[in-house]
């Protein structure tokens, strides 16, 4: 039985080191686009966290590890858009949002987490999350859905075409 939806030819994937593990496990038994043409770029400033990802994926030539600030990377990155952008930190979510969204290919996915209130949030963070969600949900170039799962997710797909 074929998988649904049918997958397009793969394009690069960007995100934190945790997205590398999530992408590699996506859609068991079906094509994930994780073939010889696929690429994954992981940006992580914590060398200890990146070491875990390198331990599991470091020998894979399709994976590029960037050690540094995700905001600086977003400012400098150039090239093809990505099929998946997983923003697991402030840059790409609360800062550099427009730059991150421009990196999503038509039909591609933008994924963010940590959207449900947490006991250790600073008081003003709840307002920042509300503004972020409202802005994303109003966009005409993305279709988004909130998921009440784990720490709270939003999945947004860039509208393909004009």
């Amino acid at each position: 039985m074929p998988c649904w939806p049918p997958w397009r030819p793969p394009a690069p994937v960007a995100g934190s080191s945790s997205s590398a593990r999530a992408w590699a496990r996506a859609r068991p038994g079906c094509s994930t686009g994780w073939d010889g043409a696929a690429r994954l770029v992981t940006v992580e400033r914590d060398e200890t966290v990146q070491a875990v990802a390198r331990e599991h994926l470091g020998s894979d030539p399709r994976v590029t590890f960037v050690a540094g600030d995700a905001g600086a990377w977003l400012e400098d990155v150039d090239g093809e858009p990505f099929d998946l952008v997983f923003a697991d930190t402030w840059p790409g979510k609360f800062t550099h949002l427009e730059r991150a969204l421009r990196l999503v290919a038509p039909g591609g996915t933008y994924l963010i987490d940590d959207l449900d209130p947490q006991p250790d949030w600073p008081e003003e963070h709840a307002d920042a999350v509300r503004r972020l969600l409202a802005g994303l949900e109003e966009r005409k170039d993305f279709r988004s859905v909130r998921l009440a799962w784990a720490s709270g997710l939003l999945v947004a797909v860039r509208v393909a075409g004009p």
Side-chain angles (χ1 to χ4, degrees), residues 83-113:
D83 282 336
L84 172 66
V85 172
F86 174 40
D88 188 28
T89 187
W90 282 64
K93 191 176 347 182
F94 297 104
T95 68
H96 304 83
L97 175 63
E98 289 303 318
R99 182 65 181 128
L101 293 176
R102 282 195 303 270
L103 291 174
V104 179
T109 302
Y110 171 75
L111 173 64
I112 55 177
D113 65 351

Side-chain angles (χ1 to χ4, degrees), residues 121-133:
W121 276 7
E123 186 176 316
E124 64 278 1
H125 189 63
D127 288 334
V129 170
R130 278 192 286 278
R131 285 190 304 272
L132 170 67
L133 294 174

Side-chain angles (χ1 to χ4, degrees), residues 3 26 30 38 44 63 75 81 91-92 95 97 105 108 113 128-129 139 154 161:
C3 297
C30 300
E44 178 58 62
V63 180
E75 291 170 8
T95 68
L97 175 63
D113 65 351
V129 170
R139 294 186 71 102
L154 179 132

Side-chain angles (χ1 to χ4, degrees), residues 30-114:
C30 300
S31 170
T32 62
W34 193 243
D35 61 13
R39 290 186 307 135
L40 180 130
V41 177
T42 174
V43 182
E44 178 58 62
R45 69 177 177 188
D46 184 330
E47 292 180 19
T48 303
V49 173
Q50 193 171 79
V52 172
R54 285 181 186 273
E55 179 182 333
H56 294 281
L57 298 170
S59 64
D60 193 325
R62 299 169 298 177
V63 180
T64 300
F65 296 91
V66 178
D69 178 70
W73 182 83
L74 282 166
E75 291 170 8
D76 294 339
V77 69
D78 192 20
E80 295 180 45
F82 294 91
D83 282 336
L84 172 66
V85 172
F86 174 40
D88 188 28
T89 187
W90 282 64
K93 191 176 347 182
F94 297 104
T95 68
H96 304 83
L97 175 63
E98 289 303 318
R99 182 65 181 128
L101 293 176
R102 282 195 303 270
L103 291 174
V104 179
T109 302
Y110 171 75
L111 173 64
I112 55 177
D113 65 351
D114 301 328

